[in-house]
Amino acid sequence: MKLILKNCNVLNKETKDIYISDGKFSKEFPESEADRVIDVKGNLATPGLIDMHVHLREPGQEYKEDIESGTKAAARGGFTGVCCMPNTTPVVDNAAIVRSIIKRANELGYCRVYPIGSASKGLQGEELSEIGLMKEAGIVAVSDDGKPISTAGFMRKVLEYCADFDVPVLNHCEDKSLSGGAMNEGPVSTSIGIRGIPSASEDVMIARDIILAEYLNLPVHLCHVSTKGGMRMIMDAKARGVKVTCETCPHYFTLTDKECVNYSADYKMHPPLGTQEDVDAVIEAIEDGTVDMIVTDHAPHHQDEKVIEFSLALNGIVGLESSFALSYTYLVKTGRITLDRLMDLMCHNPSKLLKLGRGGMEIGDDADIAVFDIDNEFVFDKNKMLTKGRNTPFDGFKLYGETMLTVMGGNITYEKLC
Ligand SMILES: [Zn+2]
């Protein structure tokens, strides 16, 4: 397959034609040799995005999402690589499941899928999973995400064991003994009568993991950080040389707990939406380098699990199809960060941490590329999403950065413009 993408605005730096042959970026060749020539009309071309925190729900919860719908949604978001969390049914705690996920994703061909194995068998937090065997089968990290690794003693074991295998450990930061509520604890939760979760629930776990990482001199990665206190501790730890990295999600820099006043569970996730102070702190942490990655924590649920009483609804929102546009609109368009920094957050840094070797656009690199319209506003429409989930708080948002085209390994995986 030979493809020419004409008039690409490459990273807002130069306009040129991109040549793709046999799945790689290639030298110029005559148009007559191309199977397809697509004029992308000056739209922004970037390396394919990487999302290191996605719930694809397969195996076992295909009524919420499956590898096909999830990877199609990823391609529509401009992603060419996603890491899937192991809290499926059964749990991804052995090599056979890892292999089956990779095989299924490869057969479908919409997006590269890098499984994350569970740290503990069955996510029970007691016995280590088959981490070495899972690494041989293709995992890129371990996590018990959905749940925290709850005891410090077990976390130490996980960090030490994974260091031997050179496998990053990703922890979902929540102290369960504090987190019985359904939204952020504060004036809003009090006024609408919903039991709150204090930001201390997240902060206590962040503090513990930083203490362990510093004591053991081993790396730790903190998932979906949302609080002002958490960001401050991570910034301090990094300044001391502690090997800590962290991610945040678009909802933590665009929405506050005030959104919960309408009792819609499309604003219910874990950690919960914080206050304006938290949002401001997250944006500052993105600006100053404290945050290493923007991820979605894409968490599709069935309507029956979300369109119910707020306290009973499941946690999580979908994010693959809105992540780039929200990040571009709220961070780059506003002048808070540069496009290059956004590319670090959404491609190069996750690739580096997980050793994926992605993000190159030189001749000979795998042709993973996304094209976005950053000049024209569009209205985000939840009914056009390719994920099975409809649980997004961003329906009707006016955004910049609609995906026009995604190419993964030289194959077109999503196409809006023709
Ligand atoms: Zn989580």
Side-chain angles (χ1 to χ4, degrees):
M1 169 92 170
K2 287 188 156 199
L3 183 63
I4 304 175
L5 307 180
K6 295 188 76 106
N7 300 310
C8 297
N9 168 14
V10 180
L11 293 166
N12 239 345
K13 291 187 175 94
E14 56 170 337
T15 300
K16 65 173 191 184
D17 301 341
I18 290 177
Y19 294 81
I20 294 166
S21 177
D22 294 327
K24 313 268 186 198
F25 291 110
S26 97
K27 282 189 288 196
E28 197 173 330
F29 51 78
E31 263 192 49
S32 57
E33 287 179 17
D35 299 292
R36 258 229 39 223
V37 180
I38 301 175
D39 186 353
V40 308
K41 297 171 189 151
N43 281 308
L44 177 73
T46 74
L49 306 178
I50 310 278
D51 186 345
M52 60 178 276
H53 193 140
V54 170
H55 298 273
L56 289 178
R57 305 303 193 198
E58 185 178 341
Q61 300 168 325
E62 289 85 353
Y63 69 98
K64 295 176 193 261
E65 188 84 293
D66 56 31
I67 294 171
E68 181 170 4
S69 59
T71 54
K72 277 183 177 173
R76 183 164 180 260
F79 293 95
T80 54
V82 296
C83 303
C84 55
M85 285 295 177
N87 60 339
T88 47
T89 319
V91 169
V92 182
D93 60 7
N94 63 76
I97 303 184
V98 174
R99 276 192 215 98
S100 73
I101 291 171
I102 294 172
K103 181 164 174 278
R104 178 74 184 133
N106 287 344
E107 281 165 7
L108 291 161
Y110 293 109
C111 188
R112 301 177 197 280
V113 172
Y114 304 101
I116 294 171
S118 71
S120 67
K121 281 191 183 156
L123 302 177
Q124 294 303 306
E126 286 159 13
E127 214 183 320
L128 286 167
S129 305
E130 297 172 354
I131 293 167
L133 293 172
M134 286 197 291
K135 186 179 181 188
E136 277 172 32
I139 61 161
V140 294
V142 305
S143 181
D144 275 358
D145 185 61
K147 291 179 176 177
I149 295 173
S150 56
T151 72
F154 189 68
M155 184 62 166
R156 174 185 185 162
K157 223 191 245 180
V158 173
L159 289 172
E160 288 178 331
Y161 196 69
C162 286
D164 290 343
F165 290 102
D166 198 18
V167 173
V169 179
L170 284 40
N171 197 20
H172 163 114
C173 295
E174 171 182 5
D175 185 314
K176 287 266 187 195
S177 69
L178 283 167
S179 64
M183 64 174 286
N184 180 51
E185 181 174 285
V188 182
S189 65
T190 306
S191 73
I192 66 171
I194 299 280
R195 193 170 161 209
I197 302 167
S199 56
S201 166
E202 182 175 347
D203 294 354
V204 164
M205 190 58 90
I206 289 173
R208 182 202 79 180
D209 284 354
I210 288 172
I211 290 165
L212 286 172
E214 187 162 20
Y215 178 75
L216 299 168
N217 192 27
L218 291 175
V220 69
H221 177 82
L222 307 176
C223 293
H224 43 55
V225 177
S226 72
T227 63
K228 184 180 176 179
M231 290 301 184
R232 190 175 50 219
M233 286 187 281
I234 294 162
M235 186 168 74
D236 290 350
K238 283 186 166 192
R240 288 200 304 282
V242 182
K243 293 171 185 160
V244 57
T245 50
C246 78
E247 59 185 46
T248 193
C249 314
H251 38 284
Y252 299 125
F253 57 79
T254 56
L255 303 172
T256 70
D257 59 356
K258 286 197 178 130
E259 307 286 351
C260 301
V261 296
N262 60 13
Y263 298 99
S264 161
D266 286 342
Y267 300 94
K268 184 179 180 191
M269 68 284 293
H270 201 99
L273 296 173
T275 63
Q276 188 62 47
E277 268 191 35
D278 294 309
V279 169
D280 293 342
V282 168
I283 294 174
E284 276 164 36
I286 291 169
E287 281 177 312
D288 69 23
T290 303
V291 169
D292 298 280
M293 299 93 183
I294 292 173
V295 304
T296 61
D297 194 7
H298 179 81
H301 289 297
H302 192 270
Q303 288 290 80
D304 295 350
E305 298 163 325
K306 285 301 259 186
V307 189
I308 50 172
E309 206 261 300
F310 191 89
S311 298
L312 300 175
L314 296 186
N315 283 311
I317 59 170
V318 296
L320 284 168
E321 292 163 82
S322 52
S323 183
F324 178 83
L326 287 163
S327 301
Y328 184 83
T329 305
Y330 282 78
L331 300 173
V332 180
K333 188 101 181 146
T334 53
R336 303 300 294 259
I337 62 169
T338 63
L339 181 67
D340 283 349
R341 169 82 176 129
L342 185 63
M343 285 303 118
D344 285 345
L345 292 160
M346 296 190 75
C347 173
H348 302 296
N349 291 350
S351 173
K352 219 180 285 171
L353 177 73
L354 306 177
K355 301 183 190 72
L356 308 180
R358 298 285 144 206
M361 290 181 84
E362 302 294 321
I363 288 171
D365 288 334
D366 286 334
D368 289 5
I369 188 165
V371 176
F372 302 102
D373 178 356
I374 54 171
D375 298 314
N376 298 296
E377 198 177 64
F378 75 104
V379 179
F380 188 76
D381 180 350
K382 74 173 182 182
N383 294 312
K384 288 188 182 154
M385 293 193 298
L386 300 181
T387 170
K388 289 184 188 178
R390 284 295 169 267
N391 47 318
T392 172
F394 298 113
D395 188 42
F397 271 48
K398 290 179 179 154
L399 301 171
Y400 292 86
E402 184 173 24
T403 311
M404 294 284 116
L405 181 75
T406 309
V407 174
M408 190 270 287
N411 295 314
I412 295 167
T413 51
Y414 175 76
E415 183 173 9
K416 181 164 194 252
L417 54 70
C418 303

